Amino acid sequence: MNSSGERSLVSVEHSPAAEAIAGNEDLVREILLRLPVKSLLRFESVSKKWLSLISDPHFAQSYTHHHNPNYEPSGLLLNNWFFRWQFIPLDDDDLSRVNLLSQGSVKFLCPDDPGFCILQSCNGLLLCSPSQLCSPSHFKTRDPFFHCYIYNLTTKKYRFLRFLNREFGATLVAVNMAFDPSKSPHYKLICIREMDEPRLEPNFTYRIDIYSSETDSLKPSSNSGSPLTITAQLEGIYFFWPIYCNGAIHWYSDEGDTSLYFDIDTECLKTIPMPPFYNEHICGRYFGESRGHLHLMVYNFREYCPTKFDIMELKADYSGWFVAYRVDLDAVAITYPEMRCCKYGTFSVLCVVRAEKEEDSTLVICVPGKAISFNLHDKTWKVLCDLVPNQNAPATIYDYGWFRADQYILALCHV
C-alpha cells in the first residue's frame, strides 16, 4: 500500500491543474527555461514531447541567452601537454567541475591518444581533434582526411566531422570555428588551405573554405566570385590560434605591422594594425577575448621585469590599440619568487576575465603548481586551484611562458 506521501504525489500529478500546465506548451517552455541545466537534461527522458522541446535548437538558443547572455566562462581548460586537460574553476559555484574531464567528458572521445587536443573554444562549443595541432605543418600527414569533433562539454553531446586534407589544389593547415548562439543556433568552420601553386619565399598563398552546420556543406569563401586567398608567411600568422570575437575570426601575427581578421557575414578579410612599437620593444604572450573585447599582452624587452606588463585592447573601430590594464604581479611574486627567475618569467597568462562590474575584472595566471586569479583593479589575488603536472611532460621552467587555456562556457547549444 502506498504511503500518504505517495498518494498525494499521484493525486497532484493527475490533478486538472497539473494536466492543464502539462498541456500548455508555452507555459512548460517558460518553466524549463528557468531550470538548471543538470535538471533540464534529466527531464529529456520525461516524455517525447519534452525531449522534442528541449532538443529544439531555438529553445537551446533562448536557454543560453537567459542563463548566460554575455557568455561568461565558468572555468578554463588547460590546453597544454604539461598540464593536460585540467579544469580551473573561475567561481566557487563551479568547484564541482574540477574533476570534470577525468570523469569521462572530453576524454571519452580519445581517452589514450596523446595527440588529441582542443583546437578552439567558442561560446559553449569545443572544436577538438585527435591530431594535435601546434603548427600548420602538423596537418600535413599521409592521412587523406582531417577528423574533428564539435563537442558540448555541458550536454556531453558531440558531432563527428571530417574534411579532405587535400582538396581544391591545396592542403589543409588549420580549421577554426565561428559560433554566436545569440544570432543563430548554427556554427561555421573556417578551413584554411595552403595552395600548391609556385610561390616566392618566404610567402605562402592560402585559400579559405567555409563549412556550415545549417547546410552540412563546404563551400569556397567568396565575395567577388572567386575563392578568397591570403598571402602570408607560413609561421608568421597564427591560423591555429583563432579568436572569435564580434562576428569575426582574428589571427595574431608576429610578422610585420598587421594581423588579420575574417568577417564571417561578409566573408571579407581585413587587417588589424599592431601597436607601432610592437616589433622593436614588445612581445605578445597572450591574445584573447572577453565580453567582446580583444586583448593583447605586451611587455618591454629592454626592461628585465617579467612581472610588469600591459594588457592592450583593440579599439572598437579597429583603428588601433590602447592600454586597458597596467599589470604588476610583484605582490604575487613575493609568494612565488620563481616568477622572476628567467627573462620571460616562470608563469603564464591564461585569460583576461572582464566582469559585469569593471572593478571585478581579473587576470588568470598559472605559476608552478597553482592557478591564480589576480584582480586588475585592487591588485588582490587568490589561488583558484592546485595544478598537477603531467608526469610524461618535460618539466622545464620555460614551458610556463606559453600555456594556452580554453574557456568553458555553460551553454545548451546543440551540435
Side-chain angles (χ1 to χ4, degrees):
M1 182 175 180
N2 291 337
S3 67
S4 59
E6 288 173 333
R7 286 196 301 269
S8 176
L9 178 61
V10 170
S11 64
V12 170
E13 287 178 342
H14 294 281
S15 68
E19 292 180 357
I21 292 174
N24 188 326
E25 186 170 313
D26 290 337
L27 183 56
V28 170
R29 186 177 187 275
E30 289 301 315
I31 293 173
L32 294 177
L33 279 175
R34 287 157 175 77
L35 295 178
V37 66
K38 185 176 180 180
S39 300
L40 191 66
L41 296 176
R42 189 167 64 245
F43 288 161
E44 286 184 332
S45 60
V46 168
S47 67
K48 291 182 178 179
K49 185 175 182 180
W50 281 32
L51 174 62
S52 176
L53 178 59
I54 297 171
S55 301
D56 181 71
H58 295 287
F59 174 83
Q61 187 177 11
S62 299
Y63 185 88
T64 301
H65 182 72
H66 180 81
H67 287 267
N68 193 8
N70 296 309
Y71 310 116
E72 297 179 27
S74 55
L76 300 175
L77 296 167
L78 272 178
N79 195 353
N80 181 280
W81 178 243
F82 198 58
F83 290 116
R84 192 164 174 77
W85 312 136
Q86 293 194 46
F87 182 82
I88 300 174
L90 295 183
D91 57 65
D92 294 337
D93 294 335
D94 254 8
L95 290 175
S96 61
R97 294 193 180 94
V98 172
N99 296 319
L100 195 63
L101 296 180
S102 62
Q103 294 174 354
S105 49
V106 167
K107 289 183 68 176
F108 88 91
L109 294 172
C110 295
D112 300 315
D113 186 349
F116 179 80
C117 68
I118 299 172
L119 300 182
Q120 187 185 351
S121 171
C122 190
N123 291 328
L125 293 181
L126 300 178
L127 173 61
C128 308
S129 172
S131 300
Q132 188 175 21
L133 177 65
C134 295
S135 71
S137 61
H138 283 222
F139 267 103
K140 299 177 181 180
T141 66
R142 295 181 180 179
D143 191 331
F145 293 100
F146 166 70
H147 306 91
C148 64
Y149 301 89
I150 309 300
Y151 185 58
N152 186 329
L153 191 56
T154 302
T155 65
K156 308 294 190 295
K157 295 179 181 179
Y158 71 95
R159 181 179 183 184
F160 173 77
L161 294 169
R162 68 177 187 174
F163 301 99
L164 285 170
N165 263 328
R166 290 186 52 78
E167 194 172 15
F168 311 118
T171 302
L172 194 64
V173 297
V175 176
N176 303 164
M177 178 165 56
F179 175 56
D180 186 348
S182 68
K183 295 181 179 179
S184 170
H186 307 287
Y187 54 85
K188 293 182 178 180
L189 298 183
I190 313 304
C191 300
I192 297 100
R193 299 178 182 275
E194 179 192 327
M195 302 293 291
D196 296 337
E197 62 188 33
R199 61 183 177 83
L200 296 175
E201 293 284 0
N203 292 327
F204 291 75
T205 301
Y206 305 91
R207 63 173 282 158
I208 294 178
D209 301 304
I210 301 177
Y211 168 84
S212 169
S213 66
E214 183 175 13
T215 61
D216 191 24
S217 62
L218 182 72
K219 74 175 185 66
S221 170
S222 173
N223 59 4
S224 61
S226 58
L228 180 64
T229 59
I230 307 168
T231 299
Q233 295 185 23
L234 177 62
E235 302 294 346
I237 183 165
Y238 289 59
F239 290 123
F240 54 90
W241 190 4
I243 301 297
Y244 179 75
C245 179
N246 298 326
I249 294 283
H250 300 78
W251 296 301
Y252 165 83
S253 174
D254 59 9
E255 298 287 343
D257 298 324
T258 60
S259 291
L260 296 175
Y261 72 101
F262 179 67
D263 187 290
I264 302 300
D265 291 334
T266 64
E267 298 187 11
C268 289
L269 188 69
K270 302 177 183 179
T271 59
I272 306 171
M274 298 307 287
F277 48 79
Y278 176 75
N279 285 331
E280 294 183 6
H281 310 300
I282 305 297
C283 175
R285 286 169 56 196
Y286 171 76
F287 180 58
E289 177 273 344
S290 181
R291 282 181 168 262
H293 302 270
L294 205 65
H295 300 120
L296 176 69
M297 171 191 173
V298 294
Y299 68 96
N300 198 316
F301 266 134
R302 297 178 179 180
E303 296 180 5
Y304 187 84
C305 190
T307 57
K308 292 183 173 65
F309 52 88
D310 293 334
I311 298 294
M312 304 197 75
E313 182 177 321
L314 184 64
K315 294 180 180 179
D317 62 0
Y318 285 75
S319 61
W321 299 76
F322 62 93
V323 176
Y325 308 103
R326 295 197 181 276
V327 182
D328 183 345
L329 297 177
D330 282 350
V332 184
I334 292 173
T335 304
Y336 303 98
E338 60 270 33
M339 291 174 64
R340 296 194 182 99
C341 71
C342 70
K343 181 177 181 180
Y344 299 106
T346 310
F347 69 94
S348 184
V349 173
L350 300 180
C351 190
V352 174
V353 183
R354 303 286 287 257
E356 186 174 359
K357 296 179 179 179
E358 181 55 33
E359 60 268 24
D360 295 329
S361 295
T362 58
L363 184 73
V364 181
I365 64 172
C366 173
V367 302
K370 306 287 182 182
I372 290 173
S373 175
F374 178 83
N375 187 288
L376 289 164
H377 291 273
D378 64 22
K379 316 303 179 185
T380 58
W381 60 277
K382 65 178 180 179
V383 174
L384 294 174
C385 65
D386 294 330
L387 299 175
V388 181
N390 183 344
Q391 294 181 353
N392 298 321
T396 63
I397 61 174
Y398 300 101
D399 287 327
Y400 277 87
W402 308 101
F403 283 176
R404 172 178 158 182
D406 292 292
Q407 298 182 8
Y408 166 62
I409 298 174
L410 189 149
L412 195 72
C413 37
H414 290 265
V415 297

